[in-house]
């Protein structure tokens, strides 16, 4: 079975697929000025694009690992997340708090999905 690395930059791949599973790196925002809602929507949009490039959509997401820089953003994050998730296709999910690599990052999400 072939391992496919997508969006590699010499340090990491944006996603890797193997044996019918797609794994993403931790995806962060491109909009450092956005609040948690805007950053969550941006990250979800990036994930949607990664999934589409691999011929699938969010209904194929199996797991999501979310890191919030500040757990005070949990409610606003959940509102944006709930607007994205399709009823009946909710992934297994964990949300933790942690320091992110760039001080302006409010969220990081990585997903695994079935191809």
């Amino acid at each position: 079975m072939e391992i496919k690395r997508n969006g590699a930059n010499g340090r990491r791949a944006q996603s890797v697929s193997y044996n019918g599973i797609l794994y993403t790196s931790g995806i962060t925002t491109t909009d450092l000025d956005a609040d948690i809602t805007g950053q969550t929507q941006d990250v979800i949009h990036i994930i949607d694009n990664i999934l589409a490039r691999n011929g699938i959509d969010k209904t194929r997401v199996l797991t999501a690992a979310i890191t919030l820089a500040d757990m005070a953003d949990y409610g606003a994050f959940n509102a944006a997340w709930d607007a994205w998730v399709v009823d009946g296709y909710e992934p297994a999910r964990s949300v933790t708090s942690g320091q992110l690599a760039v001080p302006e990052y409010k969220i990081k999400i990585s997903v695994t999905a079935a191809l």
Side-chain angles (χ1 to χ4, degrees):
M1 182 104 352
E2 181 182 0
I3 298 172
K4 294 182 183 177
R5 301 172 199 284
N6 306 297
N9 67 5
R11 177 170 289 157
R12 59 121 185 110
Q14 190 175 45
S15 66
V16 175
S17 59
Y18 175 73
N19 199 26
I21 304 292
L22 177 73
Y23 306 86
T24 71
S25 291
I27 306 300
T28 53
T29 190
T30 59
D31 185 354
L32 298 179
D33 295 323
D35 63 7
I36 187 63
T37 299
Q39 285 198 14
T40 301
Q41 290 168 339
D42 185 47
V43 169
I44 286 170
H45 176 73
I46 294 166
I47 290 170
D48 280 336
N49 286 336
I50 293 168
L51 297 172
R53 284 194 304 271
N54 284 276
I56 58 175
D57 66 17
K58 62 190 171 185
T59 64
R60 306 290 292 172
V61 174
L62 303 170
T63 66
I66 296 104
T67 303
L68 296 176
D70 185 346
M71 287 305 283
D73 289 334
Y74 187 68
F77 156 72
N78 269 332
W81 178 266
D82 291 348
W84 178 69
V85 171
V86 177
D87 282 345
Y89 294 93
E90 301 88 345
R93 184 187 98 162
S94 67
V95 179
T96 59
S97 174
Q99 185 175 1
L100 299 174
V102 174
E104 293 82 8
Y105 288 161
K106 298 180 183 332
I107 187 166
K108 176 175 69 174
I109 302 175
S110 60
V111 301
T112 59
L115 292 170

